[in-house]
């Protein structure tokens, strides 16, 4: 089915595969999990490093827009919740870096690729968080979009990625709910608070739709990634599911989705909606979004400032290993 929706250009046909590649594809088709030490095609390994690495970077860079509001949360309770959520994102990044490392890439290499701009992170984190209502909208929409993408990834074919996703999804659903709880409070507040909630929805709606990636006709990786079960759905399928789930939630809040074309389509059993501005998306992922330079700058600074600490840890580990060596030799 997906082969008709997404470009299959460059994909190997079964008759062109080596016996090893065919046996590998048959394992995937049977729903078997692939583990790190097992044979895998080089393209499978590379695609996973790209996707898991970008996902890990997104979790880490994704701490910045919310971290921006920790010191300015309106109550101590909200501050504690936001702090815990941002800390969870760091944990997600770490599980995912560990999953990527099982494929033979080092953490330092992944960092170098992020810092030099060779590897991407999610476009959404290149937008600013201007008001407290954005903390609600990020949890509701951004974590909501993330869950929509990540729940199917729990069944992805690579064992360590799939297991990381199971754990991450449990935490993401709390994140989504805390965001929605902030939105409920704001939307039921004073007219000024409700206006802030509406403004956050207006600014973050289309960037959230972009999180699912370009439309299927422009998605270069989908067909091969789906054949390998690295991705379980096309970008447009997940975007549609997200819209169908989120529009009633916006209505419940008494807020308006900023799309005049939004309309229930009885025949397809889902909403018709306007596509995001794809030229803006491609501009943002090329490094020209409103906050790209700040986000990357903050990550590079954190990495450079932490160099002395990492060097200290390595020196300590080497010393401890040297102390243990004579014992091991006995
Ligand atoms: N942003 O062929 P396509 C979170 C790139 S973090 C940037 O469709 P693919 C959270 C794509 O990489 C959530 N780039 O690609 C954290 C490719 O370029 P390259 C992060 C994007 O990989 C903190 C090109 O466009 N989630 O939840 O098949 C706080 C063509 O696209 C984006 C994940 O990473 C984008 N939005 O599909 C709160 C999920 N979209 O690499 C929340 C795992 C596309 O060839 N990743 N590109 O240079 C995936 O599921 C897939 O990688 C995507 C893209 C659906 C994102």
């Amino acid at each position: 089915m997906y082969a008709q929706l997404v470009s299959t250009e460059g994909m190997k046909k079964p008759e062109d595969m080596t016996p090893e590649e065919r046996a590998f594809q048959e394992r995937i088709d049977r729903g078997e999990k692939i583990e790190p030490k097992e044979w895998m095609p080089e393209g499978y390994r590379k695609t996973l490093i790209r996707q898991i690495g970008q996902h890990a970077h997104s979790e880490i860079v994704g701490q910045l827009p919310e971290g921006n509001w920790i010191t300015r949360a309106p109550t101590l309770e909200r501050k504690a919740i936001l702090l815990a959520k941002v800390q969870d994102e760091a944990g997600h990044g770490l599980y995912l870096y560990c999953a990527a490392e099982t494929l033979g890439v080092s953490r330092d290499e992944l960092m170098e690729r992020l810092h030099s701009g060779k590897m991407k992170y999610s476009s959404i984190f290149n937008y600013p968080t201007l008001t407290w209502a954005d903390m609600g909208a990020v949890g509701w929409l951004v974590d909501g979009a993330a869950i929509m993408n990540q729940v199917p990834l729990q069944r992805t074919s690579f064992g360590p990625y799939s297991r990381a996703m199971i754990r991450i999804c449990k935490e993401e659903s709390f994140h989504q709910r805390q965001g929605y709880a902030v939105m409920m409070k704001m939307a039921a507040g004073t007219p000024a608070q409700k206006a802030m909630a509406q403004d956050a929805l207006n600014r973050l709606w289309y960037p959230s739709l972009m999180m699912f990636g370009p439309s299927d006709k422009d998605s270069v990786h989908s067909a091969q990634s789906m054949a390998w079960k690295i991705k379980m759905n096309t970008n447009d399928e997940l975007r549609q599911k997200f819209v169908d789930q989120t529009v009633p939630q916006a209505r419940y809040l008494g807020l308006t989705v900023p799309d005049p074309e939004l309309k229930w389509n009885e025949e397809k059993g889902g909403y018709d909606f306007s596509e995001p501005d794809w030229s803006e998306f491609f501009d943002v992922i090329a490094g020209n979004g409103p906050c790209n330079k700040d986000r990357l700058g903050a990550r590079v600074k954190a990495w450079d400032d932490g160099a002395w600490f990492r060097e200290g840890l390595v020196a300590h580990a080497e010393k401890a290993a040297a102390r243990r060596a004579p014992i091991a030799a006995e």
Side-chain angles (χ1 to χ4, degrees), residues 50-59 96 150 153 161 165:
R50 182 183 62 80
Q51 181 166 316
I52 302 174
Q54 290 185 170
H55 194 165
H57 296 327
S58 305
E59 301 283 355
L96 288 163
Q150 289 168 194
L153 288 178
Y161 192 25
M165 279 299 118

Side-chain angles (χ1 to χ4, degrees), residues 136-276:
V138 167
W140 171 38
L141 301 173
V142 175
D143 288 83
I147 298 172
M148 196 53 86
N149 169 283
Q150 289 168 194
V151 165
L153 288 178
Q154 295 177 108
R155 293 180 285 111
T156 192
S157 60
F158 186 55
Y161 192 25
S162 150
R163 292 188 285 274
M165 279 299 118
I166 292 169
R167 187 152 176 189
I168 290 174
C169 280
K170 290 203 171 95
E171 294 176 353
E172 294 288 19
S173 35
F174 277 111
H175 296 175
Q176 197 264 357
R177 282 184 213 182
Q178 71 81 33
Y180 198 67
V182 170
M183 289 308 269
M184 286 210 297
K185 196 88 183 166
M186 298 290 288
T190 64
Q193 286 169 328
K194 186 168 182 187
M196 279 166 74
Q198 181 64 55
D199 174 59
L201 171 58
N202 292 350
R203 282 181 290 105
L204 289 167
W205 175 252
Y206 286 106
S208 299
L209 296 189
M210 292 176 194
M211 285 178 71
F212 297 97
S215 62
D216 289 349
K217 65 179 175 18
D218 295 319
S219 170
V220 282
H221 301 296
S222 282
Q224 181 62 76
S225 289
M226 289 177 68
W228 278 330
K229 296 192 183 158
I230 290 175
K231 262 169 100 160
M232 308 302 287
N233 302 87
T234 74
N235 302 351
D236 285 338
E237 278 170 5
L238 291 176
R239 197 172 1 257
Q240 180 72 53
K241 280 179 90 169
F242 174 74
V243 171
D244 294 344
Q245 173 186 283
T246 310
V247 169
Q249 295 172 349
R251 296 228 167 101
Y252 183 77
L253 292 171
L255 300 179
T256 309
V257 173
D259 178 0
E261 306 300 322
L262 188 76
K263 190 163 89 264
W264 179 255
N265 180 331
E266 194 59 50
E267 214 174 298
K268 82 172 177 190
Y271 286 93
D272 288 333
F273 59 94
S274 306
E275 295 271 313

